[in-house]
Amino acid sequence: MLALSRRLCSGAVRLPVTTSMAMSTDSKLMKEPSKLDASLKYQDYFGVHKMFTVKDLFDARVHLGHKHTALDNRMKQFIYGVRFGQSIIDLDQTTLHLRQALNFLAHIVYRNGIVLFVCRQPQLIHLVDKTAQECGEYSFTRSWKTEIFCAPNQAFKQEIRLPDLVIMIHSKETHQYNDHRAIFDAAKIGIPTIGIVDSDCNPNLVTFPIPGNDDSLSSSRLYLDLFKKTILAAKEQRAEEKPE
């Protein structure tokens, strides 16, 4: 199948991958079962736990949620307490979930998977597109259409390869502030998702929810920087282990 078109999003930089190229890549990986198996024998094969500390999260204001009156009951498990009417997110839980998400992301990239960043918040679009460009992956920051995942032939007028992982920097739509449709569409066809979930979000919709502030530029820059470092580290590891 063809890879996502280079013009799928403004931040895309990877060239289309033909069926033969994809099959060739898969064949090479299948011939190296020992290396792929080895990566699963370690709890943190790519060392993502070293990429950040709880203090880094605190300094980036990740712990600051929305007003307590806007709290989604399904987020109570991630809330440390309330200060001046504002929900405070438990950074110990954020650390755990973020490391799990980064580890999963690294394994997807290590196996030559395609990563798609999705975001519709105006203040974050340029950051998301830039991150996708810098790590050689894709981004989609336009109005979402269900056909993109659920009827790609209709959306792109050709057969394409869908992403292997979707990263939601903001799990809400811009205008009506509903849950982003990409989360539902990804679930329908079995694409795992990583998503930042603030105190007013539903963490049950995301495969790997990361409780944290999804509005401030400082926290968003931190998330994107960690995602980029993880992707580049996994690609570097794959290149080093590539047979002659």
Side-chain angles (χ1 to χ4, degrees):
M1 297 185 294
L2 292 175
L4 286 168
S5 168
R6 191 179 185 185
R7 299 305 303 168
L8 171 62
C9 54
S10 56
V13 296
R14 293 179 61 181
L15 295 175
V17 179
T18 62
T19 303
S20 59
M21 291 171 63
M23 292 178 64
S24 176
T25 300
D26 293 340
S27 299
K28 290 180 180 179
L29 291 177
M30 290 177 66
K31 292 179 181 178
E32 306 173 56
S34 59
K35 293 181 179 180
L36 290 178
D37 292 344
S39 68
L40 299 175
K41 294 180 179 179
Y42 299 89
Q43 185 174 3
D44 188 10
Y45 185 71
F46 302 96
V48 299
H49 72 285
K50 300 177 182 178
M51 292 183 177
F52 70 96
T53 64
V54 175
K55 186 178 184 302
D56 293 330
L57 300 179
F58 180 82
D59 292 342
R61 304 167 65 86
V62 173
H63 61 294
L64 300 180
H66 287 269
K67 290 184 178 180
H68 188 61
T69 54
L71 176 66
D72 188 306
N73 289 331
R74 292 160 291 198
M75 282 293 296
K76 285 185 177 180
Q77 58 183 316
F78 302 122
I79 303 302
Y80 180 81
V82 180
R83 181 175 175 81
F84 301 124
Q86 184 177 21
S87 295
I88 305 299
I89 297 171
D90 187 345
L91 290 183
D92 286 334
Q93 294 202 54
T94 301
T95 299
L96 174 63
H97 284 77
L98 180 53
R99 284 174 175 163
Q100 290 177 343
L102 293 178
N103 189 48
F104 183 77
L105 169 61
H107 278 281
I108 290 293
V109 175
Y110 182 64
R111 287 157 175 77
N112 205 37
I114 292 177
V115 178
L116 178 66
F117 291 84
V118 176
C119 182
R120 190 56 182 157
Q121 303 308 111
Q123 72 274 20
L124 302 178
I125 284 177
H126 68 290
L127 292 175
V128 173
D129 287 338
K130 181 180 179 182
T131 299
Q133 290 177 340
E134 292 175 344
C135 60
E137 295 297 336
Y138 298 89
S139 65
F140 192 96
T141 53
R142 303 173 183 174
S143 297
W144 185 261
K145 296 181 180 180
T146 297
E147 293 81 5
I148 293 174
F149 280 173
C150 299
N153 289 348
Q154 178 180 340
F156 302 105
K157 309 303 180 184
Q158 62 179 339
E159 192 172 356
I160 67 165
R161 175 182 170 183
L162 293 174
D164 300 285
L165 175 64
V166 173
I167 298 179
M168 307 291 302
I169 302 302
H170 201 293
S171 63
K172 297 287 188 178
E173 284 278 14
T174 304
H175 305 295
Q176 298 180 343
Y177 207 67
N178 293 324
D179 295 314
H180 201 295
R181 288 298 311 174
I183 301 176
F184 297 99
D185 295 339
K188 289 177 183 177
I189 59 176
I191 299 177
T193 53
I194 291 175
I196 309 301
V197 288
D198 210 326
S199 60
D200 63 340
C201 298
N202 179 6
N204 299 336
L205 298 176
V206 184
T207 312
F208 289 90
I210 302 172
N213 184 342
D214 64 2
D215 293 312
S216 73
L217 289 178
S218 59
S219 61
S220 297
R221 285 195 180 100
L222 176 62
Y223 304 139
L224 289 170
D225 183 61
L226 291 173
F227 291 143
K228 181 177 71 173
K229 287 180 178 178
T230 300
I231 291 172
L232 293 178
K235 287 184 176 181
E236 181 179 355
Q237 184 74 16
R238 186 179 67 205
E240 291 177 356
E241 298 178 358
K242 186 176 181 180
E244 297 295 337

